[in-house]
Amino acid sequence: MNDLNQARNHVLKLIQQACVVSKRNEDEVQLLAVSKTHPSELLKEIYATGQRAFGENYLQEALDKITALSDLDIEWHFIGHVQRNKTKHLAEKFAWVHGVDRFIIAERLSNQREDNQVPLNICLQVNIDAQESKDGCNPAEVAELVKCISQLPRLKLRGLMVIPAPNHPHAFMDAKHLFDEVKVLHAHPEDWDTLSMGMSGDLQAAIAAGSTMVRIGTALFGSRDYSK
Ligand SMILES: *Cc1c(COP(=O)(O)O)cnc(C)c1O
C-alpha cells in the first residue's frame, strides 16, 4: 500500500511540475492508471489512495477485473486496439474507449451502447507520426471522421489519442495542432476536451504540448510481467 501510494504521489508530482513548467493549471491533466497485467488486488490498493480512472488493453483480462471490482466506483478506460467483433463488450462495460480509428467501429459502439447508459466517451486514435506497424487513422482522415463520428447518438467524441514512437516528441505538438484544428468540425464542440497522450517515459513532453490525460503504467506499478 505504501509503495503504491508513494508511486502515485510521485507521478502526481511529476504531472504538477510539468504543468508548472508549461504554465498550465495542474487540474487540466488527468492521470489514467494503466493496470494491464496487474491483478485486481493491486488495483484495489491504488484505488484506496484515491485513483478512480483505470486503463486496460486486453478485453478478457479487463472484463474479469470489472467483475471482480464491481463494488468500487471505477471509471474503466479501454486503451487497446479495438477489434470489430469485440465492440459489444466495450460498449456495455466501459466508460471510455481510446482506440477508435474507423467509422464502422464508432458506429457499432454507438449502436451497442445501451439506452439506459450515459453516452460512451471515445477518443479517435491517430497514427500521428506515420509508424508502419501502428494502429490509428491517418492524420488526413481525422477531419472527416470527427464530422461523422460526432453525430453518432450514443457516443461522446472527446478528442484524440496518440502513441508516438519514442524520441519523437514533435509528434505531440503535431497532435495538439490537429486537435485544435478539427474542433470546429465537431457536431458538439463543447465535448471536444481530451488529448490522451503521454506515458511513463514521455509525460513531460506530452504535457508541454497540451496533453489533458496521461496514461501511466510502469511509473505507478513497476515493470510488467507478460509471462503470466
Ligand atoms: C501500456 C500502455 C500505456 C502505459 O505505458 P507505460 O510506459 O507503462 O506508462 C499507455 N498507453 C497505452 C496505449 C498502453 O498500451
Side-chain angles (χ1 to χ4, degrees):
M1 162 73 96
N2 273 337
D3 283 357
L4 276 179
N5 199 9
Q6 255 176 30
R8 182 165 179 272
N9 284 337
H10 178 66
V11 169
L12 290 173
K13 189 154 208 169
L14 291 178
I15 293 173
Q16 186 194 5
Q17 286 167 347
C19 287
V20 169
V21 169
S22 326
K23 301 192 166 56
R24 301 182 58 199
N25 285 327
E26 61 180 288
D27 59 7
E28 289 173 35
V29 182
Q30 205 198 329
L31 170 60
L32 180 64
V34 176
S35 45
K36 62 183 175 217
T37 77
H38 300 295
S40 299
E41 298 83 72
L42 224 52
L43 278 70
K44 218 178 209 171
E45 282 182 27
I46 204 163
Y47 178 91
T49 73
Q51 185 65 35
R52 293 294 175 270
F54 289 85
E56 290 281 339
N57 290 56
Y58 311 109
L59 183 59
Q60 192 51 54
E61 179 192 341
L63 293 175
D64 291 346
K65 290 179 193 171
I66 291 172
T67 303
L69 300 174
S70 61
D71 56 329
L72 304 184
D73 178 30
I74 291 180
E75 182 180 86
W76 292 102
H77 293 235
F78 189 78
I79 60 173
H81 178 60
V82 181
Q83 288 170 288
R84 190 179 162 135
N85 60 342
K86 302 278 172 65
T87 50
K88 192 168 163 62
H89 288 297
L90 296 178
E92 291 176 358
K93 304 288 187 190
F94 287 81
W96 286 71
V97 176
H98 292 232
V100 176
D101 58 6
R102 285 178 291 159
F103 180 75
I104 178 86
I105 297 281
E107 192 177 39
R108 288 173 69 94
L109 289 169
S110 181
N111 289 338
Q112 291 167 336
R113 186 72 166 175
E114 305 269 0
D115 284 336
N116 61 359
Q117 293 182 289
V118 295
L120 178 66
N121 297 296
I122 67 167
C123 290
L124 193 54
Q125 185 176 355
V126 187
N127 185 358
I128 195 71
D129 51 354
Q131 293 172 70
E132 258 176 44
S133 60
K134 276 284 165 141
D135 305 317
C137 67
N138 188 302
E141 297 174 305
V142 169
E144 190 61 27
L145 285 170
V146 167
K147 253 188 244 172
C148 299
I149 294 175
S150 65
Q151 294 177 41
L152 293 171
R154 307 295 304 142
L155 301 183
K156 207 169 180 178
L157 178 58
R158 301 291 294 264
L160 301 179
M161 188 272 235
V162 297
I163 316 174
N167 315 318
H168 231 176
H170 199 267
F172 291 133
M173 288 185 264
D174 293 343
K176 170 64 171 161
H177 286 142
L178 191 57
F179 176 79
D180 289 341
E181 195 177 279
V182 296
K183 179 171 182 165
V184 294
L185 303 171
H186 198 298
H188 312 279
E190 68 279 8
D191 292 347
W192 189 252
D193 60 5
T194 302
L195 196 43
S196 166
M197 60 185 192
M199 316 203 300
S200 296
D202 55 16
L203 70 94
Q204 288 87 355
I207 290 172
S211 168
T212 69
M213 196 183 293
V214 289
R215 307 177 309 265
I216 308 295
T218 309
L220 285 175
F221 297 104
S223 56
R224 287 179 287 273
D225 178 0
Y226 286 97
S227 67
K228 287 182 202 141

